[in-house]
Amino acid sequence: MSVVSTDLLRRFDLNGPRYTSYPTADRFVEAFTAAEYIQSLEQRQTVAAAMALPLSLYVHIPFCESLCYYCACNKIVTKHHDKATAYLRYLSREVDLHMAHLGTGQTVSQLHLGGGTPTFLSDDELRGLMSMLRRSFNLVPGGEYAIEVDPRTVDAGRLALLAELGFNRLSFGVQDFDPAVQKAVHRVQPAEQVFALMETARQQGFESINVDLIYGLPLQTPESFDRTLAQVALLKPDRVALYAYAHLPERFKPQRRIVPAELPSGSAKIAMLSRSLAAFEAAGYVYVGMDHFALPSDALAIAKRQGRLHRNFQGYSTQPDCDLIALGVSAIGRVGATYSQNAKTIEEYYDHLDQGRLPVVRGLAVSRDDLVRRAVIMALMCQGVLQYESIELAFLIDFRSYFARELEDLQELVGQGLVVVNGQGIEVTAQGWFFVRAVAMVFDRYLQADRNRTRFSKII
Ligand code: SF4
């Protein structure tokens, strides 16, 4: 029995922003320049309260040895490992440029190495990267230090190295255990290998291990995915992220290698999602929100119970909002009231650094309205509760008149039992947590503007 009706899943399991930021990255503009980013870095140094908070770091390693056909990430597929040597040199330059504006030795309590495939780097390169970061930043004990791991690129020795370098969180890309599905998406990794790595990682004391799954891949059926879910229940990672595959071959070239006839139907996808929700509940997982599940003992589940969840570019987090310095090609950061993104191609990224410039090519200076809406969206997505008064006091607005239209739009979700709206605020119901993205979308001014434009163009 599913924990959510398939009718609701069909209606509200919408494609839409994941709200790892608000405004979302597709709203960034090229008018935002490196000069504005530098200004926000320097401003940070003048505000004692900002300086007292630790930083978060994201480092993007874009290389992958082989191409997964479902991939929608910014990556470079290559067998030439020497490319990483040059890349790390440029990363080091980017860090040096930051030091000039940020100061050396800033406290960091969160680090995420993502990609691409961070474990494309050799042991020596990983060592070099971490000591370069430690020379510039102060990575404090007890922080969250995470790395995305492609199980095909590590063994027990490499996991031991990651632990030695200070990583305490791992995220394994699994997607599906079915060999036929793995073959269809060109990512073959035997289940035994993942089980063995999981056991080793546990022995080595990693605090939290996440597994990524994808439903909607070619050759998947609800029955075949049930078998993967059963294996995941045996594997018992601390966290599971379950993503829907969106087939957009016009946008993501690798997806053109996927045979459309092999893709599951919409109703099969809904069945997989519905059965996944039931399977994770039966296996003892808590639904954290937005595709994330965690064991009750995991820090994320505890933070959810205690109303201490936060959200950043890596998804849900237990760490309070802090400035995020993003390093590497295409990386997205957040400092003060700005978002910034680095050049998306490696050539452009290198070119900026060759000229001694930070490689920021787009971003956004967040407006007051953006800040109000961000506070609303994050409260709903992280706590599931919003008190009008807290927003009114923080931003000196009258919530009900400022958001009159949104409160009207929420009525449909009220009717479906997904939220409760009363005189004091808005509360996401237990069912509503599964569709919290739809609740957040009501408060997204940019989406509303898009809808108005569509309506307007339809009228004329
Ligand atoms: S899915 Fe991950 S490992 Fe596969 S090609 Fe994309 S970035 Fe590389």
Side-chain angles (χ1 to χ4, degrees):
M1 247 283 279
S2 176
V3 284
V4 182
S5 83
T6 42
D7 184 46
L8 276 177
L9 288 174
R10 206 166 286 126
R11 268 179 98 120
F12 290 107
D13 184 46
L14 312 166
N15 278 333
R18 303 179 51 73
Y19 295 111
T20 51
S21 68
Y22 180 82
T24 48
D26 54 334
R27 310 294 170 176
F28 295 177
V29 293
E30 283 169 13
F32 182 93
T33 61
E36 282 173 88
Y37 176 61
I38 290 171
Q39 204 180 3
S40 63
L41 289 178
E42 291 183 345
Q43 257 170 12
R44 187 176 191 276
Q45 279 191 300
T46 65
V47 181
M51 290 293 281
L53 288 175
L55 282 173
S56 187
L57 283 185
Y58 173 76
V59 183
H60 190 79
I61 307 294
F63 306 105
C64 299
E65 265 210 22
S66 86
L67 178 69
C68 312
Y69 294 164
Y70 54 82
C71 184
C73 303
N74 189 303
K75 81 287 162 193
I76 297 163
V77 178
T78 179
K79 299 252 185 246
H80 300 290
H81 279 255
D82 51 326
K83 289 199 175 174
T85 316
Y87 186 74
L88 291 175
R89 235 184 3 252
Y90 279 95
L91 263 182
S92 174
R93 274 193 214 177
E94 193 187 358
V95 169
D96 288 347
L97 286 172
H98 273 91
M99 291 306 105
H101 304 290
L102 196 63
T104 310
Q106 296 283 303
T107 303
V108 167
S109 66
Q110 244 183 333
L111 164 70
H112 189 101
L113 233 66
T117 308
T119 45
F120 179 92
L121 300 181
S122 69
D123 289 359
D124 281 347
E125 285 164 345
L126 280 165
R127 267 195 204 98
L129 170 62
M130 288 307 288
S131 53
M132 183 269 283
L133 293 175
R134 285 182 192 278
R135 272 197 305 278
S136 306
F137 298 97
N138 173 23
L139 273 61
V140 293
E144 286 184 1
Y145 304 123
I147 180 165
E148 294 170 11
V149 174
D150 180 336
R152 299 168 298 175
T153 59
V154 291
D155 55 19
R158 300 213 83 198
L159 288 183
L161 172 76
L162 296 178
E164 179 198 317
L165 293 176
F167 290 101
N168 50 20
R169 278 145 213 278
L170 301 178
S171 181
F172 287 121
V174 169
Q175 329 310 356
D176 191 311
F177 279 123
D178 188 311
V181 175
Q182 291 189 356
K183 200 162 163 231
V185 297
H186 200 241
R187 188 185 172 112
V188 175
Q189 47 186 34
E192 306 77 60
Q193 189 184 13
V194 178
F195 273 80
L197 285 174
M198 179 67 97
E199 204 183 316
T200 311
R202 293 227 179 281
Q203 285 160 4
Q204 289 170 348
F206 285 95
E207 282 169 33
S208 182
I209 304 169
N210 174 78
V211 158
D212 282 348
L213 298 177
I214 304 181
Y215 69 94
L217 294 175
L219 300 184
Q220 277 178 338
T221 64
E223 293 70 30
S224 78
F225 204 58
D226 280 349
R227 289 192 289 276
T228 287
L229 294 170
Q231 279 171 293
V232 173
L234 286 177
L235 190 65
K236 250 231 166 353
D238 303 280
R239 300 177 187 178
V240 180
L242 172 71
Y243 301 110
Y245 171 64
H247 190 58
L248 300 166
E250 323 74 42
R251 220 166 120 200
F252 304 112
K253 225 168 145 194
Q255 298 184 356
R256 294 180 199 163
R257 302 197 190 199
I258 283 181
V259 181
E262 292 182 348
L263 287 170
S265 65
S267 59
K269 276 180 80 176
I270 293 289
M272 283 183 236
L273 174 59
S274 165
R275 287 153 81 151
S276 302
L277 299 179
F280 290 130
E281 189 181 64
Y285 285 84
V286 172
Y287 183 69
V288 178
M290 284 289 299
D291 322 319
H292 289 273
F293 304 81
L295 289 176
S297 54
D298 186 80
L300 216 48
I302 296 171
K304 170 149 187 199
R305 278 200 299 281
Q306 297 177 344
R308 289 188 296 102
L309 269 186
H310 298 273
R311 200 160 167 77
N312 59 29
F313 285 107
Q314 274 70 56
Y316 282 110
S317 163
T318 58
Q319 299 275 309
D321 286 348
C322 50
D323 286 336
L324 167 70
I325 304 294
L327 305 164
V329 63
S330 75
I332 299 179
R334 166 187 161 173
V335 177
T338 65
Y339 289 114
S340 57
Q341 183 168 26
N342 280 350
K344 282 192 179 173
T345 68
I346 204 159
E347 294 76 18
E348 204 189 342
Y349 173 73
Y350 287 173
D351 190 42
H352 281 271
L353 290 163
D354 278 337
Q355 295 182 43
R357 292 196 309 255
L358 280 167
V360 169
V361 294
R362 56 202 285 273
L364 201 68
V366 176
S367 72
R368 186 179 147 75
D369 177 70
D370 293 334
L371 288 172
V372 178
R373 288 172 190 273
R374 179 161 82 190
V376 171
I377 288 173
M378 293 306 164
L380 290 169
M381 296 199 68
C382 297
Q383 278 78 52
V385 181
L386 177 113
Q387 300 292 337
Y388 300 146
E389 196 185 10
S390 63
I391 299 292
E392 289 176 340
L393 288 174
F395 297 100
L396 302 178
I397 57 163
D398 178 73
F399 192 97
R400 273 153 286 203
S401 53
Y402 196 94
F403 288 114
R405 181 182 163 163
E406 287 78 0
L407 288 171
E408 215 180 290
D409 290 348
L410 266 186
Q411 286 310 312
E412 191 197 346
L413 304 185
V414 172
Q416 297 293 337
L418 305 186
V419 284
V420 174
V421 179
N422 60 30
Q424 280 73 50
I426 302 164
E427 187 164 352
V428 179
T429 64
Q431 289 275 298
W433 265 110
F434 294 97
F435 310 100
V436 73
R437 184 201 313 243
V439 183
M441 282 164 75
V442 171
F443 291 91
D444 184 331
R445 182 174 63 86
Y446 298 87
L447 281 184
Q448 282 174 16
D450 289 350
R451 273 198 295 271
N452 289 345
R453 261 196 301 278
T454 319
R455 254 180 242 150
F456 184 64
S457 58
K458 272 188 188 151
I459 292 165
I460 55 174

